[in-house]
Amino acid sequence: DSGVTQTPKHLITATGQRVTLRCSPRSGDLSVYWYQQSLDQGLQFLIQYYNGEERAKGNILERFSAQQFPDLHSELNLSSLELGDSALYFCASSVDSPYEQYFGPGTRLTVT
Amino acid sequence: GQNIDQPTEMTATEGAIVQINCTYQTSGFNGLFWYQQHAGEAPTFLSYNVLDGLEEKGRFSSFLSRSKGYSYLLLKELQMKDSASYLCAVFLLSGTDKLIFGTGTRLQVFP
């Protein structure tokens, strides 16, 4: 158990819909990262927040957005969902960069 | 652009030693991580190399050569539970704080 929690564990939704994935970092960690992992693909970095502020952006689509709240939990919002958005979405946290990141169990999103 | 290469798959026998290579070409480099990921599970941290040389941690060791853009993960006394994907990830220069992952090497350990 890494100490990072993610909800929900599984999510099944239809194309065109909008979903919100939630992440609570390890106690004391200020940085939160979001990753997408599709079948046969590596982990794709989406976005990083540090203490409530956006710090780095990766290959995040405009249909996706994220935020980190004052209590440091983070949410990833995915809208106008497409079949290709089906993937495992991981959240990770660290004290700061470039320290080791601890990954949550992931949310498996299926878009039908 | 950013490019990280690892072999797609490797096989080895229980008790043996295996070396998983990773080469990278990135604009900016601040360090290299290795993660282990079992199928359907979250990646777990194995090592972080910033300086050239070998870092040993129990059965696992990681090596880095910054001038060659090369790293390897060495697994000794292989066990069945070591069957997993091993992900090489480059941490780019501070200011971007980006961690770029390779596609991973799937290792299968046979009895």
Side-chain angles (χ1 to χ4, degrees):
Chain A
D1 184 355
S2 67
V4 179
T5 60
Q6 288 187 248
T7 56
K9 214 167 186 172
H10 300 278
L11 200 47
I12 301 175
T13 188
T15 53
Q17 294 299 304
R18 173 191 166 95
V19 297
T20 298
L21 313 183
R22 184 190 165 103
C23 167
S24 291
R26 289 188 326 154
S27 176
D29 285 357
L30 298 178
S31 263
V32 168
Y33 310 77
W34 286 98
Y35 293 91
Q36 179 193 58
Q37 188 174 40
S38 305
L39 270 174
D40 298 327
Q41 290 221 355
L43 278 166
Q44 300 291 317
F45 169 71
L46 295 178
I47 197 162
Q48 179 202 359
Y49 280 83
Y50 177 79
N51 204 21
E53 301 287 327
E54 181 185 304
R55 183 178 260 193
K57 232 172 182 174
N59 302 323
I60 188 165
L61 300 172
E62 282 191 17
R63 301 183 285 110
F64 296 1
S65 65
Q67 53 185 324
Q68 186 179 29
F69 295 86
D71 67 352
L72 300 179
H73 91 272
S74 178
E75 292 182 357
L76 178 68
N77 300 297
L78 315 176
S79 60
S80 304
L81 284 168
E82 301 175 0
L83 294 177
D85 297 328
S86 295
L88 255 177
Y89 290 84
F90 286 106
C91 163
S93 75
S94 68
V95 171
D96 197 346
S97 300
Y99 297 97
E100 61 198 75
Q101 296 180 19
Y102 292 86
F103 282 76
T107 293
R108 183 172 292 282
L109 173 67
T110 303
V111 182
T112 60
Chain B
Q2 323 292 359
N3 194 43
I4 300 176
D5 284 317
Q6 302 179 237
T8 307
E9 287 191 13
M10 296 183 71
T11 59
T13 309
E14 204 173 8
I17 299 173
V18 72
Q19 178 175 310
I20 302 174
N21 296 324
C22 171
T23 57
Y24 61 90
Q25 292 165 319
T26 58
S27 50
F29 175 86
N30 207 24
L32 190 141
F33 286 88
W34 282 97
Y35 280 83
Q36 180 192 59
Q37 186 178 25
H38 286 97
E41 296 183 12
T44 54
F45 170 82
L46 291 177
S47 67
Y48 179 52
N49 292 67
V50 179
L51 303 175
D52 286 359
L54 186 70
E55 299 242 354
E56 297 186 70
K57 227 189 233 186
R59 294 189 300 114
F60 293 5
S61 304
S62 57
F63 172 83
L64 176 67
S65 169
R66 295 175 68 129
S67 60
K68 294 181 179 172
Y70 168 68
S71 173
Y72 67 73
L73 181 69
L74 194 70
L75 292 77
K76 301 176 193 172
E77 299 166 21
L78 280 172
Q79 301 174 10
M80 299 295 291
K81 67 177 182 180
D82 297 329
S83 294
S85 286
Y86 291 85
L87 311 177
C88 165
V90 170
F91 191 80
L92 299 183
L93 282 175
S94 59
T96 66
D97 282 7
K98 288 185 186 178
L99 196 61
I100 308 296
F101 280 85
T103 51
T105 298
R106 191 181 304 174
L107 173 67
Q108 276 191 290
V109 180
F110 292 99

